[in-house]
Amino acid sequence: MCPSSIDEGLFSKKEDMNNQLPYYVRLCAKLLLLFLIGWMAYLGKTIIVPIYFSILLAILLLPLANFLERLKIPQGIADMTAVCSAVLLIVILLYFLSTQISSFATDAPSIKQHMAEHYAALRHWINQKFNVSFTQQTIFIRNTTKQLTSSGGEYIGQTFSSVTETFVLTVMVGIYTFLILFYRHLIRKFLLAVFKEEHQDGVNEVLIETKSMVRNYMMGLLIEMAIIAIANSIILLCLGIKYAIFLGVFIAILNLVPYVGIITGILFAVLVTLTTSSNMNDILWIIVSLGIVHLVDSNILMPRVVGSKVKINALCAITGVLLGGSLMGIAGVFLALPTLAILKIVFDRVDELKPWGILLGDEFHTNKKTATQSKIKNALNKLTLKKKSTP
């Protein structure tokens, strides 16, 4: 008997033994594997997050790098030009946001006056509704202020640490992105060489589809963010809200977080307006107008601009955002949806993982729409047959 037949026999026996294991044993093994992956992601987030952002940015910049190479520019210079252009845009955006935030300091007297007015109105409302005296409120505020003052040094240290980490993360993402673009052909050969020859067509298909999906998805998100920022800024300017452009851009950035970002953005706009205006009607108009923009975005703009590149249902999207945030912080919130989309592409290509692809997908509405269309077609066909049968 030849060695290859022996190996095939042993492999088939192992496969049969794995299939004979009870379902709960296989389920426990899968859950344990998921737990280990999550634990490794939590421990190695300082390394995984910049590399992950770099991969997404490299996929987004790949057409620009290829275009520069077609102009007979050397690959290293073309990749560096693409990365520098992206970093320049990010620096311009951060500079705009930082200058707008620093302008709050120039309006400190006005902000203090409006805060005092809202503070007095709030104390009066608490006294009337909850029967809490002004003395009790003053004692509570004084104790809270003491606690914040005692831990103020810790908060300042955390803030400085966050700013430093953001700067280091930006530098590392730029370096990683350049290296991924420069060695992209080598990485592709490695991914194809990992799997057997009979699976290389499927692996190549997954790589092409993932690259196309990530690029189209991110370009769609950037276009949508620009449209939402312009719409929000125009509405807030028409309402006479201070820092309208800053709030419009900031809310558009938060809108990248699915389902949760728009609520956070509206609350932030309300808080900023409370510190700069004493007119409570402004708050109502902000909530109504930004809510209408969000409805138009989620029902018209998002399906048309971003398209159906990422068919992830709302339940899995929200769960993925919460898990990403708990494992990797703010970065995990932004990386959750692309991760789920990539996993769905892989799950749909592997027979054993297709049920998980169905769980992540949003094919219910598509199937419902297809069934409705087929019913309409059948009804029309019956009517046509009846007309032909009648003399």
Side-chain angles (χ1 to χ4, degrees), residues 63-85:
L64 178 58
N66 290 333
F67 172 75
L68 294 175
E69 288 185 22
R70 286 196 294 270
L71 297 177
K72 306 301 181 181
I73 299 176
Q75 181 184 351
I77 299 175
D79 297 339
M80 181 62 69
T81 304
V83 173
C84 290
S85 61

Side-chain angles (χ1 to χ4, degrees), residues 287-312:
I287 296 174
V288 172
S289 58
L290 295 182
I292 292 174
V293 171
H294 173 63
L295 289 176
V296 173
D297 169 47
S298 58
N299 293 288
I300 299 176
L301 191 62
M302 186 75 163
R304 293 180 181 274
V305 177
V306 180
S308 57
K309 305 299 180 185
V310 183
K311 295 180 181 179
I312 304 296

Side-chain angles (χ1 to χ4, degrees), residues 156-172:
I156 293 172
Q158 290 179 356
T159 303
F160 179 77
S161 176
S162 300
V163 172
T164 305
E165 289 178 359
T166 303
F167 176 75
V168 173
L169 177 63
T170 305
V171 174
M172 293 304 297

Side-chain angles (χ1 to χ4, degrees), residues 130-390:
F130 299 100
N131 229 357
V132 180
S133 64
F134 292 105
T135 305
Q136 292 175 337
Q137 295 180 37
T138 304
I139 293 173
F140 175 77
I141 293 171
R142 190 177 298 166
N143 293 333
T144 305
T145 305
K146 287 181 180 179
Q147 293 177 0
L148 291 175
T149 305
S150 61
S151 58
E154 181 180 353
Y155 291 142
I156 293 172
Q158 290 179 356
T159 303
F160 179 77
S161 176
S162 300
V163 172
T164 305
E165 289 178 359
T166 303
F167 176 75
V168 173
L169 177 63
T170 305
V171 174
M172 293 304 297
V173 166
I175 296 173
Y176 283 138
T177 304
F178 169 73
L179 294 176
I180 291 172
L181 283 174
F182 189 75
Y183 293 109
R184 60 183 181 272
H185 302 295
L186 180 64
I187 295 173
R188 183 176 178 276
K189 288 181 180 179
F190 164 75
L191 293 175
L192 292 175
V194 168
F195 299 91
K196 296 180 180 179
E197 271 187 45
E198 59 265 23
H199 300 308
Q200 286 190 359
D201 293 336
V203 174
N204 194 29
E205 184 181 353
V206 169
L207 291 176
I208 293 173
E209 188 173 349
T210 301
K211 181 176 66 175
S212 176
M213 181 276 302
V214 171
R215 185 189 306 133
N216 293 332
Y217 173 67
M218 293 183 67
M219 284 298 298
L221 280 184
L222 292 177
I223 296 172
E224 182 205 12
M225 184 179 69
I227 296 173
I228 294 298
I230 294 172
N232 289 339
S233 301
I234 292 174
I235 289 174
L236 294 176
L237 283 172
C238 293
L239 293 175
I241 303 299
K242 207 167 186 180
Y243 309 110
I245 298 177
F246 164 69
L247 291 175
V249 174
F250 190 72
I251 293 171
I253 294 174
L254 290 178
N255 194 44
L256 295 177
V257 181
Y259 307 105
V260 182
I262 186 62
I263 300 175
T264 307
I266 293 176
L267 289 177
F268 181 79
V270 168
L271 291 175
V272 173
T273 306
L274 282 174
T275 60
T276 56
S277 175
S278 57
N279 188 4
M280 298 303 295
N281 290 329
D282 292 341
I283 305 300
L284 179 62
W285 281 111
I286 285 175
I287 296 174
V288 172
S289 58
L290 295 182
I292 292 174
V293 171
H294 173 63
L295 289 176
V296 173
D297 169 47
S298 58
N299 293 288
I300 299 176
L301 191 62
M302 186 75 163
R304 293 180 181 274
V305 177
V306 180
S308 57
K309 305 299 180 185
V310 183
K311 295 180 181 179
I312 304 296
N313 61 71
L315 176 62
C316 292
I318 295 175
T319 305
V321 167
L322 294 176
L323 286 175
S326 62
L327 290 175
M328 297 184 177
I330 299 296
V333 172
F334 287 97
L335 294 173
L337 203 56
T339 303
L340 291 176
I342 294 171
L343 287 177
K344 187 180 186 310
I345 292 174
V346 176
F347 291 164
D348 290 341
R349 295 296 184 279
V350 181
D351 293 334
E352 296 180 356
L353 300 177
K354 281 185 178 179
W356 296 97
I358 296 173
L359 179 63
L360 290 177
D362 195 16
E363 280 82 9
F364 171 75
H365 301 288
T366 305
N367 294 335
K368 190 175 180 181
K369 184 177 179 181
T370 305
T372 305
Q373 291 175 352
S374 62
K375 288 180 181 178
I376 294 173
K377 288 181 180 179
N378 292 331
L380 292 174
N381 291 331
K382 289 180 181 178
L383 290 174
T384 306
L385 291 174
K386 286 182 179 179
K387 287 181 180 179
K388 290 182 178 180
S389 62
T390 55

